[in-house]
Amino acid sequence: MKLNKEQLEKINEGIKALLDFCPIMIDDNEELIFTDERIKEIIDEEEDIEGLEILFPGEHDYTFIEPDYFIDSIDEIKTIEIIDSSYIKAKLSRYYLVSANDFTDEHILSFHSLHTKGKGYHINLIDESIIVGMAATKLEEYENDAWGTITPYISIGIEYETDNDILSKEDEENLINSYIFEVADTMNIALTFSEIRNPIYDLTDITGDIAEGDFESLRELEPYNIGMEFFVSAIQIKDPELKFLNFYKVLEHFSPIAVNIEANELMRKKLDAPKSSFEDGDYIRSIFTLANSMRDRYNDEDLIKASFNTCFDFVGLFPTLPASLIKKIKSNIQVKELDYSTNKQKLTTACNIAGKIIYKTRNKVVHAKSNFNLTGDEIQPSEYDELNEFMKEASSQTIRWYTRQPSHLKLEIIK
């Protein structure tokens, strides 16, 4: 491509803006700035400039950018703003970091721009975005020769035609979600929101934690049960709501056993009465009343409450609950701290409150439709990651609790 003086100076302007934003890139890219002599040489010899080769931190190779595309991007480069590690904005463009389920899907997507447009905007999938690369560099999320700042990421980009076309953040997110749906329908590939993140840092942190303990040997294996499949499925899921739902399935699956144990114990106590009681009509009727009341407890809400009361160490896991739920429970049972010395009745109430809220949250996820009425007790979306840490431990303990139960207490459907 033959460039005139104005275009070459414009490229200089863009390179300087990029390097001002990312000073760490100066040493590897300062030769990209054309000197006055070089500009004169290019014009006099009518030299073709096929593209710019920019070296981003952590990358093994240069990123090739066509001159006209770079020139068109200069206003965006000069106005880049990192809102957070998953969302970047510039003058007339927005970038939402996304990822696919696996490398194969992301490789397939890299061959397609999957563009569409609406009133005042264009939207498409961007592989190796300059803006995202600059943001990752600014955030210092890279590792020399191990993790780059541009090749690891794909983003959904919105390009507005004018300032007046710019949507609110909420409308933008709705637009992005609609786009993700269309990608899934067209490509059969699910995109999820992601972030700029150097996993090498995470690996270092994890390695450090492992070094402090002995993780070379596992516990003695528990006998297999279907709850283990639900648990493993939950571990693999990235979406926090679906992850929660799979952990919930573990508790839900074993909760009938908790009710059954309580029913057996109450009935045994009832039948331990003196023999003379069996000749009393009221006593006989009370046995039927007890049986009916326990049968009534085989509903979804009471079942999950039973799991909280019986299947895992609720007191031990209590601090890992979302802060809003901890606050609500403490306020309701009027305690400053909940521990093993807490009154048994208050512990039961605490378990029931937690179970009820988890049940209502489950309903919110399962019945995700426009006419579903929220009660206000449900866990907020921002708390799902914290909630899932609790659900993971509760599910693990519940699976192990089931193993310890004697055979006569295990429901046939769970064997």
Side-chain angles (χ1 to χ4, degrees):
M1 178 179 178
K2 291 182 173 59
L3 301 175
N4 57 37
K5 182 179 180 181
E6 182 182 0
Q7 290 172 316
L8 292 168
E9 289 177 343
K10 194 70 176 176
I11 289 175
N12 275 354
E13 180 184 340
I15 294 296
K16 289 176 182 177
L18 187 154
L19 298 181
D20 284 345
F21 190 81
C22 306
I24 193 70
M25 295 177 63
I26 292 176
D27 289 344
D28 293 321
N29 295 281
E30 59 184 346
E31 74 279 0
L32 291 174
I33 299 175
F34 300 112
T35 63
D36 291 341
E37 293 78 8
R38 178 66 178 135
I39 289 176
K40 185 176 185 305
E41 179 185 4
I42 292 171
I43 294 172
D44 290 345
E45 297 183 8
E46 296 185 350
E47 185 176 334
D48 278 336
I49 304 297
E50 295 181 0
L52 306 174
E53 292 186 335
I54 301 177
L55 186 61
F56 281 87
E59 298 291 345
H60 291 282
D61 204 354
Y62 291 89
T63 297
F64 181 86
I65 303 171
E66 294 181 356
D68 53 351
Y69 177 81
F70 185 79
I71 291 171
D72 290 341
S73 302
I74 289 175
D75 284 345
E76 304 307 297
I77 290 172
K78 293 169 67 175
T79 57
I80 181 174
E81 183 179 355
I82 303 171
I83 305 303
D84 57 43
S85 59
S86 60
Y87 176 56
I88 305 153
K89 62 189 293 188
K91 182 180 179 181
L92 290 176
S93 59
R94 306 290 186 266
Y95 301 84
Y96 288 80
L97 275 293
V98 292
S99 62
N101 289 334
D102 54 43
F103 173 78
T104 301
D105 286 345
E106 292 195 357
H107 185 65
I108 292 171
L109 290 174
S110 69
F111 292 101
H112 306 275
S113 64
L114 298 174
H115 58 85
T116 186
K117 63 181 181 179
K119 186 178 179 180
Y121 68 82
H122 289 76
I123 182 170
N124 64 310
L125 198 65
I126 304 175
D127 186 43
E128 299 190 15
S129 161
I130 306 173
I131 300 295
V132 172
M134 290 174 62
T137 301
K138 189 71 172 181
L139 294 172
E140 299 184 356
E141 292 287 346
Y142 60 88
E143 189 79 13
N144 290 336
D145 299 323
W147 188 261
T149 54
I150 191 165
T151 55
Y153 304 110
I154 57 175
S155 60
I156 298 173
I158 304 174
E159 296 179 9
Y160 293 108
E161 294 178 6
T162 69
D163 288 337
N164 293 330
D165 296 315
I166 296 176
L167 300 173
S168 68
K169 184 65 162 59
E170 181 180 0
D171 288 339
E172 264 187 13
E173 290 177 350
N174 289 337
L175 185 66
I176 293 296
N177 282 317
S178 296
Y179 179 84
I180 288 174
F181 164 74
E182 292 299 342
V183 171
D185 189 38
T186 302
M187 302 293 295
N188 199 32
I189 294 176
L191 291 172
T192 56
F193 289 104
S194 185
E195 61 182 354
I196 294 172
R197 180 175 57 84
N198 175 10
I200 307 299
Y201 289 161
D202 296 341
L203 182 59
T204 301
D205 292 342
I206 293 171
T207 304
D209 292 339
I210 291 176
E212 295 177 3
D214 180 10
F215 289 88
E216 293 182 8
S217 60
L218 296 173
R219 301 185 191 185
E220 184 177 345
L221 296 182
E222 304 282 1
Y224 166 80
N225 61 69
I226 191 65
M228 294 178 177
E229 290 190 19
F230 297 150
F231 184 89
V232 172
S233 176
I235 294 294
Q236 295 174 331
I237 295 172
K238 291 184 178 180
D239 182 272
E241 288 191 353
L242 297 181
K243 181 184 285 288
F244 160 74
L245 201 58
N246 275 263
F247 281 137
Y248 185 96
K249 286 171 68 176
V250 176
L251 303 184
E252 183 180 47
H253 186 72
F254 294 112
S255 58
I257 300 177
V259 175
N260 194 45
I261 289 173
E262 183 181 355
N264 284 356
E265 185 62 25
L266 290 173
M267 189 59 72
R268 284 180 180 275
K269 289 179 179 178
K270 196 71 177 173
L271 297 178
D272 284 339
K275 186 177 180 180
S276 59
S277 299
F278 288 84
E279 298 176 1
D280 187 317
D282 288 338
Y283 176 80
I284 298 299
R285 280 188 291 275
S286 71
I287 293 177
F288 285 103
T289 300
L290 173 60
N292 289 333
S293 67
M294 294 309 299
R295 184 174 62 245
D296 291 342
R297 289 190 59 194
Y298 280 85
N299 61 77
D300 290 343
E301 182 175 340
D302 283 337
L303 284 171
I304 206 67
K305 286 179 180 178
S307 71
F308 272 69
N309 278 282
T310 306
C311 300
F312 56 87
D313 179 13
F314 179 76
V315 174
L317 296 182
F318 181 73
T320 67
L321 282 168
S324 65
L325 184 47
I326 291 176
K327 182 178 179 180
K328 185 174 293 186
I329 291 173
K330 286 182 178 180
S331 174
N332 193 282
I333 65 174
Q334 297 182 337
V335 297
K336 291 183 177 180
E337 297 296 334
L338 188 146
D339 54 35
Y340 295 103
S341 65
T342 302
N343 177 276
K344 184 177 180 180
Q345 184 56 50
K346 288 187 176 183
L347 286 178
T348 299
T349 301
C351 287
N352 289 340
I353 293 171
K356 180 179 181 179
I357 291 174
I358 297 302
Y359 168 73
K360 289 181 179 293
T361 302
R362 173 261 186 194
N363 287 347
K364 173 188 173 184
V365 176
V366 172
H367 303 293
K369 50 188 179 181
S370 59
N371 63 346
F372 179 72
N373 294 320
L374 297 175
T375 66
D377 291 328
E378 297 82 2
I379 295 295
Q380 296 301 309
S382 61
E383 298 178 304
Y384 274 113
D385 288 338
E386 195 173 6
L387 174 62
N388 282 331
E389 288 301 313
F390 168 85
M391 293 295 288
K392 175 181 179 290
E393 294 304 319
S395 298
S396 172
Q397 290 185 19
T398 297
I399 290 169
R400 301 176 194 283
W401 168 86
Y402 168 75
T403 301
R404 296 195 303 271
Q405 303 311 306
S407 296
H408 71 276
L409 292 178
K410 295 180 179 180
L411 298 183
E412 189 65 31
I413 59 170
I414 296 181
K415 284 186 178 180

